[in-house]
Amino acid sequence: MTQYRSFINGEWLGASDSLPNVNPSDLSDIVGEALLADEARVTDAIASARHAFRNWSLTTPQQRADILDAAGAKILARREELGTLLAREEGKRLPEAIGEVTRAGNIFKYFAGEALRVGGEIVPSVRPGMTVEVTREPLGVIGMITPWNFPIAIPAWKIAPALAFGNTVVIKPAEAVPGCATELVKILAESGLPAGVLNLVLGPGRVIGNALVTSPDVDAITFTGSETTGRAIAAKCVETGKKVQLEMGGKNPMVVVDDADLDVAVNAALDGAFFSTGQRCTASSRLIVTARIHDRFVGALQQMAAALVVGHALDNATQIGPVVDGRQLQQNLSYLKIASEEGGQVFGGELVERPTKGFFMQPALVTGTTNSMRINREEVFGPVASVIKVADYDEALAVANDTPYGLASGICTTSLKIAAHFKRRAEAGMVMVNAPTAGVDYHVPFGGRKRSSYGPREQGAYAREFYTIVKTAYVKA
Ligand code: ADP
């Protein structure tokens, strides 16, 4: 049985407690076993990162770029094998899993380049004989807490910029997905990363994650996960004076107006709502549809959703993999019950039996909903979307923005005027026109507004805002 261990100062460490890594497509398939760190291990990991920071922060951009580039190449070369591991431990179907691994590889290659592009400014002083230099320096030890839904891409988009700019890292991945994080850390170690620069601790969030968040020796925390956990973490970061970045939930609207191309709209909704089993924070979970196209849109979407093949993540015929675990499956079903009690009509959502025992459910579409129903206020995080019928574009825009969240917002229209208006008025960090709200590029900023995000953006050139700190130097000739 594969054992996943914490990695501190270049060593893989044992532990007495463990947690099985269960395949959600086949509960009899135990992918491995995570040996769980305790708080003392977290302290060691932070000390190791602190010690390594002294030298790593003074390496040249070329040294860091070479390591990141080599890691990116290794990830890309192993994408099928790592994709298979990802599909087994998280349940994403194989092509989606390979796509995620490819994204992780590309992110490392992108940030290899970013290591060379830090730059700075020389500013004439207001005082005679003085010059002002504005430079960026690494921040220090970065604590990372990551979720289960993108087990390699999210660690990649946090680790790559942190290392590119000369920081050291302690990462705690979600309990459900220790395998991908372990492989990623191994690849970086094999690519020449010095001991202590990247440390991995495995264990429960409320113990191991909390130890990272409360430690006075961690300079910053980057977190992706649920809103409740994120808010509690942010408050603790403020208490201990840490820089903090949070990516949390979404309740992303996708507006379909009367002039939309029906095929484009239905395919965008199908992908945005249900692909990756709807387990994306950018999932199109509120489909806001104007009156004249509503029935045609709903009819076509129901037909296509009912035909989606749910099954084992490694089965070629599968279009929708399993839900990640039993708790999440129960949450999905309970939201369908609530939606139905509130007056929505539920299509699909049945539990599905397959040759292997797993957490399979048919995607569900809830029609006849209003924006005040719980199904439209709270994040479900499964293959569940609801339809809200509205009179016209103006009402659609108002409903789209009437949410505490603001991650992604989409519209399907053939009108340039409506698209331009929506892009400007959507209260979201990302706006998609004639495309699903989920599915983003790896080289541009990712993040939201309102309760979805907190702190600087992740990814692309904007990642340096979080992972560097500015220094202003005054030089008298
Ligand atoms: P989910 O409901 O998807 O599991 P969470 O926000 O609970 O979302 O989990 C996201 C990440 O946060 C995981 O790595 C988890 O272990 C970690 N986590 C959970 N609770 C805490 C906590 N109190 N402090 C720090 N990290 C936590």
Side-chain angles (χ1 to χ4, degrees):
M1 157 107 52
T2 307
Q3 284 189 326
Y4 307 111
R5 296 161 180 270
S6 294
F7 184 68
I8 298 174
N9 202 24
E11 283 183 46
W12 297 96
L13 303 169
S16 47
D17 285 349
S18 68
L19 200 65
N21 184 10
V22 181
N23 180 346
S25 299
D26 177 359
L27 306 189
S28 69
D29 177 26
I30 306 299
V31 185
E33 175 187 46
L35 303 184
L36 305 180
D38 55 15
E39 282 165 301
R41 279 273 149 82
V42 181
T43 307
D44 291 347
I46 296 167
S48 141
R50 174 65 56 206
H51 181 75
F53 182 71
R54 274 183 231 154
N55 288 332
W56 181 250
S57 59
L58 298 173
T59 50
T60 64
Q62 188 66 56
Q63 286 171 301
R64 301 196 297 272
D66 286 347
I67 292 170
L68 295 184
D69 189 59
K74 287 191 170 86
I75 294 167
L76 293 175
R78 291 175 54 191
R79 64 180 106 187
E80 303 244 335
E81 172 217 336
L82 294 171
T84 305
L85 170 66
L86 198 163
R88 272 179 79 202
E89 75 172 354
E90 195 265 350
K92 216 165 263 171
R93 72 191 183 98
L94 188 59
E96 290 171 338
I98 292 174
E100 185 184 332
V101 173
T102 305
R103 179 187 184 92
N106 286 333
I107 286 170
F108 275 95
K109 293 209 154 243
Y110 173 83
F111 279 106
E114 282 300 279
L116 305 167
R117 280 191 286 266
V118 178
E121 290 168 76
I122 293 187
V123 183
S125 170
V126 293
R127 288 175 277 168
M130 188 82 86
T131 304
V132 186
E133 294 169 6
V134 182
T135 52
R136 287 183 180 272
E137 295 185 357
L139 206 57
V141 175
I142 316 279
M144 303 182 172
I145 298 174
T146 55
W148 51 261
N149 65 329
F150 285 92
I152 195 159
I154 295 180
W157 80 52
K158 293 183 191 298
I159 291 171
L163 299 181
F165 301 125
N167 302 283
T168 58
V169 174
V170 180
I171 181 165
K172 191 215 86 68
E175 293 88 315
V177 289
C180 285
T182 300
E183 289 305 320
L184 188 55
V185 168
K186 267 191 204 161
I187 285 172
L188 278 151
E190 287 162 13
S191 304
L193 200 66
V197 172
L198 173 61
N199 304 275
L200 170 73
V201 284
L202 301 177
R206 61 180 189 287
V207 183
I208 303 303
N210 191 55
L212 269 180
V213 170
T214 51
S215 166
D217 285 329
V218 171
D219 298 288
I221 293 283
T222 173
F223 166 87
T224 304
S226 66
E227 195 196 339
T228 323
T229 306
R231 300 223 157 260
I233 286 177
K236 288 179 189 163
C237 285
V238 169
E239 271 170 34
T240 47
K242 292 184 183 62
K243 195 169 181 179
V244 60
Q245 173 184 65
L246 310 174
E247 286 302 337
M248 301 169 286
K251 197 72 214 175
N252 311 292
M254 200 187 97
V255 170
V256 179
V257 288
D258 290 340
D259 71 15
D261 179 315
L262 189 65
D263 270 358
V264 167
V266 171
N267 282 299
L270 195 77
D271 175 333
F274 302 134
F275 288 7
S276 295
T277 321
Q279 297 174 148
R280 298 184 282 191
C281 47
T282 47
S284 315
S285 54
R286 290 184 300 142
L287 307 172
I288 302 165
V289 189
T290 54
R292 272 196 293 127
I293 198 172
H294 175 273
D295 292 357
R296 280 180 294 142
F297 173 81
V298 167
L301 186 57
Q302 274 170 355
Q303 211 175 0
M304 287 180 80
L308 286 171
V309 178
V310 179
H312 195 299
L314 296 178
D315 186 339
N316 281 339
T318 294
Q319 291 171 292
I320 305 288
V323 171
V324 73
D325 60 22
R327 190 187 64 137
Q328 194 64 46
L329 181 64
Q330 282 314 315
Q331 181 168 309
N332 298 343
L333 297 177
S334 103
Y335 269 111
L336 291 181
K337 188 159 172 279
I338 292 166
S340 157
E341 283 164 5
E342 285 184 309
Q345 286 92 53
V346 177
F347 294 87
E350 305 87 5
L351 292 179
V352 179
E353 292 213 353
R354 288 287 172 253
T356 51
K357 195 165 157 29
F359 301 115
F360 303 114
M361 77 176 270
Q362 196 66 33
L365 189 67
V366 189
T367 58
T369 72
T370 64
N371 200 43
S372 58
M373 290 180 182
R374 276 184 68 192
I375 192 80
N376 288 322
R377 308 305 301 176
E378 298 167 21
E379 187 176 49
V380 178
F381 220 69
V384 174
S386 51
V387 179
I388 304 169
K389 187 176 177 179
V390 292
D392 52 20
Y393 167 68
D394 287 341
E395 187 185 351
L397 175 65
V399 169
N401 285 337
D402 178 10
T403 168
Y405 296 105
L407 190 54
S409 190
I411 189 162
C412 291
T413 177
T414 51
S415 156
L416 187 57
K417 191 172 163 205
I418 290 182
H421 189 272
F422 186 82
K423 258 189 301 174
R424 177 63 186 85
R425 301 301 198 291
E427 294 168 5
M430 297 176 287
V431 182
M432 284 73 171
V433 178
N434 293 322
T437 53
V440 294
D441 286 5
Y442 66 84
H443 66 310
V444 289
F446 177 96
R449 297 184 183 177
K450 302 201 259 184
R451 297 183 77 96
S452 289
S453 304
Y454 186 81
R457 286 279 182 270
E458 296 200 86
Q459 303 191 57
Y462 289 72
R464 81 167 63 105
E465 291 307 322
F466 182 72
Y467 291 101
T468 62
I469 188 159
V470 167
K471 180 176 276 175
T472 313
Y474 294 85
V475 182
K476 187 140 190 181

